[in-house]
Amino acid sequence: MKFSIRHYSGIFDMGTIIPLVAALIVFLLYVFFDLNITDVMPTIVLMRFLAVCGIVEVLFIVLRIAEFIYGARIFVEEDHLDVKMLLRRRRLYYAEIEDAKYGHYEVSRNNRGRKERSDSLLYKMFADDEKKEVRAELTFFLASGKKFRLNDNATNYVWKQKKWITDPDLDPDEDVKLYQAYKCYLHACRQFLTRQ
């Protein structure tokens, strides 16, 4: 079975931060050593380094947007899982997976600056300062001692969790694609172990 999730990895975020920091450090060294535009060779080196940092920055921004669009694909087969991400593929055999844990975590985003810049009086009065988002996480513990993590949006989880009190048969995670992949993995893994 195939599941498409909105996996988010922080590697492309680090790729957008590191070139900015490197460019700032080189520029500060340029100023610290009291170099100016009349020094031709150091100025050429600085401009080329800043151009390379700018190209790397744009490249990582494009990769971050592509990761957001592509997400990840999980293929549950009868003896293994295939996980395909933007720049990475991973095949996990059921024999090498010791345990799998499904859970949730919160991500908060600060909206205070956005509220101050807004022209809408209603938005300024009623919008929350922090927006919290619940994401689902699936962690595979491998026999080698490593962990392999996947995450996904859990958009209706909070709403369905509140509704769960009135409808106890409702599973708050039923709409989350990562949870569906986890359940499919558990079923396939049980069948694989009974065949062994």
Side-chain angles (χ1 to χ4, degrees):
M1 295 199 57
K2 176 184 172 185
F3 300 94
S4 297
I5 63 171
R6 292 280 175 212
H7 178 70
Y8 170 76
S9 62
I11 190 164
F12 296 125
D13 291 341
M14 291 303 294
T16 57
I17 294 170
I18 291 172
L20 288 176
V21 172
L24 181 66
I25 289 172
V26 168
F27 181 73
L28 289 177
L29 286 173
Y30 183 81
V31 172
F32 178 72
F33 288 123
D34 201 25
L35 299 171
N36 57 27
I37 201 137
T38 59
D39 300 324
V40 177
M41 191 60 183
T43 304
I44 290 173
V45 170
L46 174 71
M47 291 301 149
R48 288 182 180 171
F49 186 78
L50 292 179
V52 168
C53 286
I55 291 169
V56 170
E57 181 76 22
V58 169
L59 176 71
F60 274 102
I61 289 172
V62 168
L63 285 174
R64 176 70 185 104
I65 292 169
E67 181 195 38
F68 178 75
I69 292 169
Y70 184 77
R73 313 284 189 264
I74 302 172
F75 298 94
V76 180
E77 304 292 337
E78 60 185 37
D79 64 337
H80 67 276
L81 285 172
D82 278 333
V83 180
K84 295 181 181 179
M85 294 178 235
L86 182 64
L87 298 176
R88 188 167 68 153
R89 292 181 180 187
R90 186 82 187 255
R91 179 168 283 181
L92 301 171
Y93 291 97
Y94 297 149
E96 72 179 18
I97 299 174
E98 288 185 348
D99 193 16
K101 180 183 171 190
Y102 179 81
H104 298 94
Y105 65 97
E106 281 189 356
V107 177
S108 61
R109 187 176 71 198
N110 189 350
N111 288 335
R112 201 167 299 125
R114 187 175 178 189
K115 278 177 64 172
E116 291 172 3
R117 291 189 306 269
S118 175
D119 293 333
S120 171
L121 183 61
L122 291 175
Y123 184 76
K124 286 183 179 183
M125 290 174 51
F126 296 113
D128 293 332
D129 284 343
E130 270 191 356
K131 182 179 179 183
K132 292 190 177 181
E133 177 184 343
V134 176
R135 292 188 60 83
E137 180 180 47
L138 178 59
T139 306
F140 292 103
F141 298 95
L142 305 178
S144 63
K146 295 181 180 179
K147 296 178 186 177
F148 183 70
R149 288 191 173 98
L150 293 169
N151 54 46
D152 190 14
N153 291 335
T155 51
N156 291 336
Y157 175 76
V158 175
W159 176 74
K160 286 194 174 186
Q161 189 179 26
K162 291 176 183 174
K163 194 176 175 186
W164 178 78
I165 295 170
T166 58
D167 188 6
D169 295 331
L170 181 69
D171 186 7
D173 281 317
E174 66 187 6
D175 293 338
V176 180
K177 294 287 186 187
L178 189 62
Y179 182 72
Q180 294 170 5
Y182 172 65
K183 286 295 189 183
C184 188
Y185 154 75
L186 289 178
H187 180 70
C189 189
R190 267 190 235 109
Q191 286 183 347
F192 172 74
L193 292 175
T194 56
R195 283 194 305 263
Q196 293 295 327

